[in-house]
């Protein structure tokens, strides 16, 4: 559905550079470099041209989370229905959880262990630090068992080009891969999976876990409207309140994994309070409004059919609909 609305046969790395990379919109997710090794590599966290691309295949452009995004189409692809909550995205339930017994273990680690127990996954793309003096330098790490999952749970996800880790896991011969990432990486993942014009073994990626993104890392973060990783199977607030993390369970697959984590004793849960829920929605709405205003501020006009309108005019007209 998504890609039928957009044709990329005449797009290539040059378009991606002009529209995204040189326009301060790149998030460093690694999607373009993951599936186009011939022309793109990640250097200091951002895609860099290895050589001039003269092939208008459109792959790098189509999987980028900043070239185009239809929330409605991605909702339908990911969940089979559309969101009712614009700030938090589609979800089944929201609870609070914390790990049992091991205070150093994270909720994400416990969920990945449960996914292994269910035999849902055979590997997980996590992140690991690569410079002890700089916590914001990280790279993907492929974990294939519980011990490796615990080892790879400390890297900064929004400092690592996680989508390149998916390509690495596929090259390793893994068939049921989990991605652990942040919101922009979840959007890139769903664009890769829903992309029927290109075959990159996307069917081997079966599960998506994410952390909320509560800290801007670079210029590209200023265009992000998603705080809670709306296109993950489960997303988790990394900031614990009195030991409890807020967990948004979004898909049936996510619900099965969460229930398994509780059943196996990895997690304990409690209902989310109205106070915590209200604070969550307020924070998500604040990011959405602030960054949407920033995006619209730089737009001269929006074209809807034959109508050209600036942001203020369009807002006024939409109130009449």
């Amino acid at each position: 559905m998504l890609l039928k609305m957009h044709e990329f046969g005449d797009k290539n790395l040059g378009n991606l550079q002009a529209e995204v990379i040189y326009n301060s919109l790149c998030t460093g997710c690694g999607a373009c470099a993951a599936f186009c090794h011939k022309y793109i590599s990640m250097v200091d966290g951002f895609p860099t041209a290895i050589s001039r691309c003269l092939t208008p295949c459109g792959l790098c452009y189509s999987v980028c989370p900043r070239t185009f995004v239809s929330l409605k189409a991605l909702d339908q692809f990911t969940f089979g229905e559309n969101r009712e909550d614009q700030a938090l995205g589609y979800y089944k339930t929201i609870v609070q959880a914390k790990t049992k017994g091991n205070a150093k273990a994270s909720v994400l680690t416990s969920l990945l262990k449960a996914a292994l127990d269910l035999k849902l996954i055979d590997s997980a793309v996590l992140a690991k630090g690569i410079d002890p003096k700089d916590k914001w330098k990280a790279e993907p790490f492929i974990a294939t068992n519980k011990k490796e999952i615990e080892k790879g749970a400390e890297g900064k996800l929004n400092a690592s080009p996680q989508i390149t880790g998916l390509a690495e896991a596929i090259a390793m011969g893994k068939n049921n891969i989990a991605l652990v990432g942040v919101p922009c990486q979840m959007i890139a993942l769903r664009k890769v999976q829903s992309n029927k014009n290109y075959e990159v073994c996307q069917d081997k990626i079966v599960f998506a876990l994410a952390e909320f993104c509560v800290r801007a890392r670079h210029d590209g973060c200023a265009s992000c409207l998603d705080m809670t990783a709306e296109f993950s199977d489960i997303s988790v607030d990394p900031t614990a309140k009195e030991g409890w993390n807020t967990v948004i369970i979004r898909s049936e697959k996510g619900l099965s994994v969460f229930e398994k984590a509780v059943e196996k004793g990895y997690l304990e849960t409690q209902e989310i309070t109205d106070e915590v829920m209200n604070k969550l929605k307020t924070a998500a709405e604040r990011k959405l409004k602030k960054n949407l205003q920033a995006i619209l501020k730089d737009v001269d006009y929006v074209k809807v059919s034959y109508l050209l309108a600036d942001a203020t005019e369009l807002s006024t007209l939409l109130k009449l609909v």
Side-chain angles (χ1 to χ4, degrees):
M1 176 182 177
L2 182 62
L3 292 173
K4 287 181 180 178
M5 298 187 293
H6 300 271
E7 296 297 332
F8 306 107
D10 60 346
K11 300 286 188 178
N12 64 8
L13 177 57
N15 300 98
L16 188 67
Q17 290 172 316
E19 297 178 29
V20 178
I21 300 171
Y22 300 154
N23 203 24
S24 298
L25 293 177
C26 179
T27 68
C29 72
C32 56
F35 302 109
C36 187
H37 306 292
K38 183 177 181 180
Y39 293 110
I40 309 171
S41 66
M42 298 298 291
V43 178
D44 293 329
F46 289 96
T48 301
I50 299 172
S51 60
R52 186 181 179 189
C53 174
L54 300 176
T55 307
C57 79
L59 175 57
C60 65
Y61 188 93
S62 70
V63 298
C64 174
R66 290 294 179 264
T67 49
F68 69 90
V69 174
S70 167
L71 299 180
K72 183 177 181 180
L74 284 186
D75 273 348
Q76 282 290 331
F77 171 78
T78 307
F79 308 113
E81 50 188 303
N82 293 113
R83 66 187 64 194
E84 296 180 1
D85 190 322
Q86 292 302 316
L88 300 179
Y90 179 87
Y91 62 86
K92 290 188 171 296
T93 187
I94 302 178
V95 299
Q96 290 192 296
K98 65 180 179 180
T99 56
K100 275 188 175 181
N102 186 356
K104 293 184 178 180
S106 70
V107 171
L108 286 176
T109 297
S110 298
L111 292 169
L112 287 173
K113 289 179 179 178
L116 280 173
D117 290 338
L118 285 169
K119 301 189 184 305
L120 172 65
I121 65 172
D122 60 14
S123 55
V125 180
L126 291 141
K128 66 176 181 180
I130 56 176
D131 185 346
K133 296 181 180 180
D134 188 349
K135 67 179 181 180
W136 292 104
K137 289 186 177 180
E139 65 183 12
F141 170 77
I142 314 302
T144 59
N145 55 52
K146 293 179 182 179
K147 186 175 182 179
E148 290 177 345
I149 284 172
E150 292 174 352
K151 178 182 176 182
E154 297 179 356
K156 292 290 184 182
L157 293 167
N158 58 348
S160 174
Q162 288 297 90
I163 307 301
T164 63
L166 289 176
E168 182 181 345
I170 291 169
M172 289 170 60
K174 300 304 177 183
N175 294 307
N176 296 286
I177 307 164
L179 173 68
V180 183
V182 290
C184 59
Q185 296 162 359
M186 295 297 111
I187 294 172
L189 167 65
R190 300 310 185 189
K191 290 185 72 176
V192 170
Q193 290 178 315
S194 64
N195 195 328
K196 303 306 180 185
N197 293 341
Y198 308 95
E199 174 51 54
V200 292
C201 297
Q202 54 264 66
D203 59 318
K204 296 180 183 294
I205 310 162
V206 298
F207 191 50
L209 288 176
E211 286 185 348
F212 297 1
C213 196
V214 295
R215 178 176 177 178
R217 178 173 168 258
H218 46 63
D219 290 344
C221 298
S223 62
C224 177
L225 307 179
D226 179 3
M227 186 188 86
T228 63
E230 297 163 7
F231 296 106
S232 59
D233 291 298
I234 303 178
S235 56
V236 180
D237 185 349
T239 307
K241 310 294 192 302
E242 298 181 356
W244 294 95
N245 297 86
T246 298
V247 180
I248 304 180
I249 303 168
R250 301 183 181 277
S251 69
E252 286 290 346
K253 190 179 295 182
L255 183 60
S256 296
V257 170
F258 187 83
E259 289 175 343
K260 188 68 173 180
V262 174
E263 175 193 323
K264 295 284 288 188
Y266 299 140
L267 295 176
E268 57 182 297
T269 69
Q270 68 176 18
E271 291 186 4
I272 190 168
T273 65
D274 290 341
E275 179 184 2
V276 173
M277 185 68 177
N278 290 336
K279 286 182 178 179
L280 173 63
K281 292 200 69 169
T282 298
E285 287 173 353
R286 185 187 302 120
K287 178 173 183 176
L288 174 63
K289 291 177 181 178
K290 177 185 176 182
N291 289 357
L292 184 57
Q293 287 172 350
I295 292 172
L296 293 175
K297 183 180 179 180
D298 294 330
V299 174
D300 294 326
Y301 63 84
V302 177
K303 183 178 181 182
V304 182
S305 185
Y306 64 87
L307 177 66
L308 296 180
D310 63 25
T312 301
E313 183 182 9
L314 182 62
S315 177
T316 302
L317 290 171
L318 288 175
K319 291 177 182 178
L320 301 175
V321 178

